[in-house]
């Protein structure tokens, strides 16, 4: 994650991207919002990968600071917040799709999930368009 005090050492676009979204937890939080429609802290805590609370808080703050996520008060529970991807965050859709495609080609584990891969293979352009759309609660696309 990029810290406000950390200066990028090169003009390399790969390094720039990795500074912002290049750790495991950041991409998994983005996955939860983009593919699974999760929007609240408690929903993120239900992640199969069991993210620690301090890491989740750090990643949500960093994603908001980088302009990838918007944080708003939940109108139904004023003590809670809702998180949604900004356009900048939704623009990560092709990266997530390529990771899914790559993993589908190389993950030979018997329990590897393939539902999303099949959706991508059936209509990649349509699936990507849906991920990039501005709809707030898009539901579960990743199984």
């Amino acid at each position: 994650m990029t810290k406000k005090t950390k200066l990028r050492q090169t003009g390399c676009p790969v390094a720039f991207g990795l500074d912002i979204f290049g750790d495991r937890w950041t991409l998994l939080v983005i996955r939860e919002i983009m593919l699974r429609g999760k929007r609240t802290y408690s929903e993120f805590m239900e992640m199969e990968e069991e993210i620690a609370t301090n890491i989740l808080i750090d990643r949500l703050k960093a994603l908001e600071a980088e302009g990838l996520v918007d944080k708003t008060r939940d109108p139904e529970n004023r003590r809670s917040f809702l998180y949604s991807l900004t356009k900048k965050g939704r623009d990560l859709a092709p990266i997530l799709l390529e990771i899914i495609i790559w993993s589908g080609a190389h993950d030979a584990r018997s329990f590897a999930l393939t539902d999303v891969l099949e959706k991508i293979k059936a209509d990649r352009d349509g699936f990507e368009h849906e991920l990039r759309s501005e709809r707030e609660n898009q539901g579960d696309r990743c199984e």
Side-chain angles (χ1 to χ4, degrees), residues 15-28:
F16 174 80
L18 291 175
D19 283 347
I20 295 173
F21 58 80
D23 72 280
R24 168 187 174 95
W25 295 114
T26 300
L27 283 175
L28 290 176

Side-chain angles (χ1 to χ4, degrees), residues 80-141:
S80 186
F81 291 96
L82 299 176
Y83 296 89
S84 60
L85 293 173
T86 62
K87 180 185 181 317
K88 184 177 177 181
R90 291 188 310 272
D91 283 348
L92 290 170
I95 294 168
L96 253 56
L97 294 182
E98 287 301 323
I99 291 171
I100 293 167
I101 292 166
W102 182 88
S103 296
H106 299 286
D107 186 351
R109 298 175 300 167
S110 62
F111 56 90
L113 304 176
T114 60
D115 290 354
V116 172
L117 179 60
E118 297 307 317
K119 291 177 185 178
I120 294 167
K121 286 179 179 179
D123 181 13
R124 184 205 166 106
D125 291 340
F127 192 74
E128 182 177 331
H129 176 74
E130 188 178 339
L131 293 179
R132 287 177 175 243
S133 72
E134 291 188 52
R135 291 186 308 143
E136 297 255 344
N137 189 0
Q138 300 185 14
D140 192 356
R141 293 192 184 101

Side-chain angles (χ1 to χ4, degrees), residues 34-72:
M34 187 178 289
L35 294 176
R36 296 184 173 164
K38 294 189 178 177
R39 302 192 61 212
T40 66
Y41 178 86
S42 59
E43 289 175 332
F44 296 129
M45 289 306 300
E46 297 170 356
M47 285 173 46
E48 179 178 358
E49 291 82 7
E50 299 180 349
I51 189 169
T53 57
N54 62 319
I55 293 173
L56 176 57
I57 290 167
D58 179 68
R59 294 317 183 272
L60 288 170
K61 285 180 181 179
L63 286 166
E64 184 181 13
E66 289 293 342
L68 297 171
V69 167
D70 279 331
K71 174 182 167 182
T72 58

